[in-house]
Amino acid sequence: MVHAVFPGSFDPIHNGHLDVVRRAARIIDRLTVAVVDNPLKTNKLFTIEQRLALVTEAVAAVDNVQTERFEGLLVDFIDKVGANVIIKSLRTVSDFEVELQMAHLNRQLNPDIETAFIVTASRWSYVSSTRIREIAGLGGDVSTMVPGGSLRVLREKFRKSIGS
């Protein structure tokens, strides 16, 4: 059985993430979407609890997908959940450079773990959580880029700051 982990901060989860989740779920037996609680990231918009809830809601319709939060080394989390593959998405060449280095490091830390790359669908290649936060924070429409739960919390979050 192939059990894969798709890690990320998902701040917030967007349709590019969901596309990768659905495509990965078609080719593996079980997928854990791992929402990282990284204390080194200080520019988080949502708490780990909020992000985990949004991811759980967004992937609920995909049968072989579960969600969990994690902190620390990804290879330790993968051991804990009994997974054997890391799923990473690639939008750009610069993503590949960073993710290739991480794949090599993870394999150095645990030679039994493989990394599989899924190229983001072209319609989502320009979407990132950072850009979603920026657009929403400036009052822009992100409704075509995020699932319903993310849209709801973004509207709630920024309604207060932009006075609407």
Side-chain angles (χ1 to χ4, degrees):
M1 179 174 95
V2 177
H3 178 188
V5 171
F6 178 40
S9 57
F10 306 105
D11 189 30
I13 189 166
H14 55 69
N15 291 341
H17 293 133
L18 286 178
D19 176 61
V20 171
V21 166
R22 289 182 188 116
R23 290 167 54 209
R26 286 196 316 253
I27 60 173
I28 60 160
D29 300 305
R30 184 170 155 210
L31 179 66
T32 299
V33 180
V35 182
V36 65
D37 188 8
N38 184 349
L40 300 176
K41 277 195 167 184
T42 58
N43 61 342
K44 293 175 254 181
L45 184 60
F46 297 107
T47 67
I48 183 67
E49 292 81 11
Q50 290 171 313
R51 291 181 284 130
L52 183 60
L54 289 173
V55 172
T56 301
E57 177 184 337
V59 304
V62 188
D63 289 334
N64 59 335
V65 175
Q66 65 187 41
T67 59
E68 279 196 49
R69 77 182 268 177
F70 87 97
E71 58 185 70
L73 288 175
L74 180 58
V75 293
D76 292 340
F77 176 77
I78 286 174
D79 280 343
K80 177 186 150 211
V81 299
N84 47 6
V85 175
I86 300 168
I87 299 288
K88 297 300 285 193
S89 63
L90 300 174
R91 292 174 301 156
T92 63
V93 172
S94 60
D95 284 349
F96 178 73
E97 291 175 1
V98 170
E99 297 301 345
L100 180 64
Q101 290 174 11
M102 289 304 301
H104 286 306
L105 286 169
N106 286 327
R107 190 145 171 82
Q108 183 72 29
L109 293 169
N110 184 337
D112 296 329
I113 295 173
E114 296 293 340
T115 299
F117 298 106
I118 295 183
V119 177
T120 303
S122 58
R123 75 180 285 195
W124 305 119
S125 63
Y126 62 91
V127 177
S128 71
S129 294
T130 301
R131 298 298 167 248
I132 295 291
R133 292 191 308 266
E134 289 173 355
I135 294 167
L138 293 170
D141 181 10
V142 295
S143 62
T144 61
M145 295 177 253
V146 296
S150 291
L151 183 60
R152 182 184 68 249
V153 297
L154 284 165
R155 284 181 173 159
E156 289 169 7
K157 182 74 116 177
F158 291 115
R159 181 173 294 130
K160 295 173 186 162
S161 67
I162 61 174
S164 46

